[in-house]
Amino acid sequence: MRTSKPIAGRHLGWSEGDVRTRPYARFWRPRMAPLAEHVRLALDEGPLAEPLLAPLSHASEMFAGDGVENGFALTADRGMRIAVSTEMPDVTPAMIDWWFGWHSDSPERYKMWHPNAHVHAMWRRPPPAGSRGRARYLGRTSIVDEFIGSGLLRLAISFIHPHELGLSDATLRDDMKATAICAHSTLAGLPIRAGYLVHLVQARPGGSLMRSRFWIGGANVAANNLLAAPIAAIARRELNATEADARALLVHCAQEMSHLASFLPELYDEFKDVN
Amino acid sequence: MRTSKPIAGRHLGWSEGDVRTRPYARFWRPRMAPLAEHVRLALDEGPLAEPLLAPLSHASEMFAGDGVENGFALTADRGMRIAVSTEMPDVTPAMIDWWFGWHSDSPERYKMWHPNAHVHAMWRRPPPAGSRGRARYLGRTSIVDEFIGSGLLRLAISFIHPHELGLSDATLRDDMKATAICAHSTLAGLPIRAGYLVHLVQARPGGSLMRSRFWIGGANVAANNLLAAPIAAIARRELNATEADARALLVHCAQEMSHLASFLPELYDEFKDVN
């Protein structure tokens, strides 16, 4: 995993000043729960056969009824695919849409999400004043510094419409019974996409289930523009996702999403009308 | 991990003759307990962000109230830092001081500590006759052969005063409520230190808690003498602590320390006045 140098002044954790003054400071909770048992089981079972996790071109198959909900595969083209699910009691899909529009307004918000790994976030261009719900993140890019395992990554995460990944309207319902956060991710400083992600969130009795999927490296590496095509070709050859990378990303996602679920219902209740 | 060749005649386990004749043979217990749940969780959570584990220059921060008690990080300078804690029922800090002075007098004693990994130990120079407690190990070097994971290492472990690592007197109390075993470790045959360790042992109701910390590789590599400075510079560049190394050392420490705790109170009771 490529490790970035920390930028001066960027650090893990909130400053004492922020803890005293941020209006949402009571939701800064640096202690995180242990990994869920179903995540530990997936880690113990280790790398899976590539065909068990559908490629990006068939992303919707990742959500078929009998698919892998928790696990990872290293692919023959030296990429990786990851599936991980998070129980989110009392969370609604609308809360998740709100969170994705809200979290990149300040580094402190982003750090609430994974206190032990999130270092910095900002929008490349802030959302238009007055935008709400999905409109606050769709088409926007969040520039983040975060540790995945012990590696510090600087990523540009660009949120895209689920249709771009072939997800049907059933995954993005206006009745608010489901939403799908979709994005591609660029290694900061390089004009190439390293991979794609989907967080499909479906309401069910007592809350929601988030089903996260990642497609990283290999055929998922794509040029951001025509001039970058030769660099993408090189990156596709040279990037080499390891089992350690897959484990670290699976753990990171499981941790941040279950931590988010632990405070989101209350946070949303208090701040849903404030940006 | 550098693997040494076994020296002829050195082997895992006690000989039948030793099992028959050693006065402390009833404490040779080759069956070890399974890993503790908190250790398994740390392994499942995998590598942590470097800032969560303080560097050697701030060793005392590793014992701050809200720090990581179990986990490991790979550092940007290609070293590793490890934290692991061991519950030690019925053990006192004084017993640990006694053990560190006693265990290197014969290979059989050392093998009791980790029957599945410890191959050989001897003092470079034996402690002075009549020395007791901390005086038996402080300033001494134990030359050990041990497996860490599947790698056989030959190490010179030199015990140093906690003050050398900036640990305050609070960690080495004359009221015997705490002790701190501190050492640096040299790869045998090389004039350079590969890293440092602390086992801080604090009494609490029902026994003690041992809090072990390791700083290996990267900036922790140091020349043992002026002539070795160029070799240390090369080693600092060439040594590369891997995730597998960190996992193996964390597991080894958790196993040997919980195994030690399983027999130390009785062993101490019977042999504390015998060297």
Side-chain angles (χ1 to χ4, degrees), chain A residues 199-224:
Chain A
H199 303 296
L200 175 61
V201 183
Q202 294 165 308
R204 51 185 208 172
S208 292
L209 179 69
M210 173 179 279
R211 303 162 73 194
S212 302
R213 306 292 185 263
F214 298 85
W215 297 262
I216 312 283
N220 307 301
V221 173
N224 269 351

Side-chain angles (χ1 to χ4, degrees), chain A residues 29-94:
Chain A
R29 295 174 187 174
R31 193 173 292 266
M32 300 177 80
L35 274 185
E37 185 55 31
H38 69 273
V39 177
R40 301 178 65 184
L41 184 59
L43 293 166
D44 283 355
E45 293 188 342
L48 300 172
E50 174 172 344
L52 296 182
L53 293 163
L56 183 66
S57 56
H58 294 69
S60 63
E61 290 176 17
M62 275 273 219
F63 302 103
D66 55 353
V68 172
E69 287 293 333
N70 297 281
F72 64 93
L74 301 176
T75 56
D77 62 5
R78 299 193 293 175
M80 61 188 185
R81 300 178 195 151
I82 295 168
V84 54
S85 298
T86 307
E87 305 272 354
M88 299 189 137
D90 303 324
V91 170
T92 63

Side-chain angles (χ1 to χ4, degrees), chain B residues 39-52:
Chain B
V39 177
R40 300 177 63 187
L41 185 60
L43 292 167
D44 282 355
E45 293 188 343
L48 300 172
E50 175 172 340
L52 296 181

Side-chain angles (χ1 to χ4, degrees), chain A residues 118-159:
Chain A
H118 284 181
V119 173
H120 196 269
M122 58 186 168
W123 295 112
R124 178 172 286 156
R125 275 183 296 278
S131 57
R132 296 176 61 88
R134 291 168 187 146
R136 248 193 144 239
Y137 67 83
L138 273 178
R140 318 256 126 226
T141 295
S142 174
I143 315 282
V144 303
D145 294 358
E146 62 179 328
F147 284 95
I148 308 284
S150 288
L152 179 57
L153 301 188
R154 188 159 300 127
L155 301 168
I157 297 173
S158 299
F159 297 101

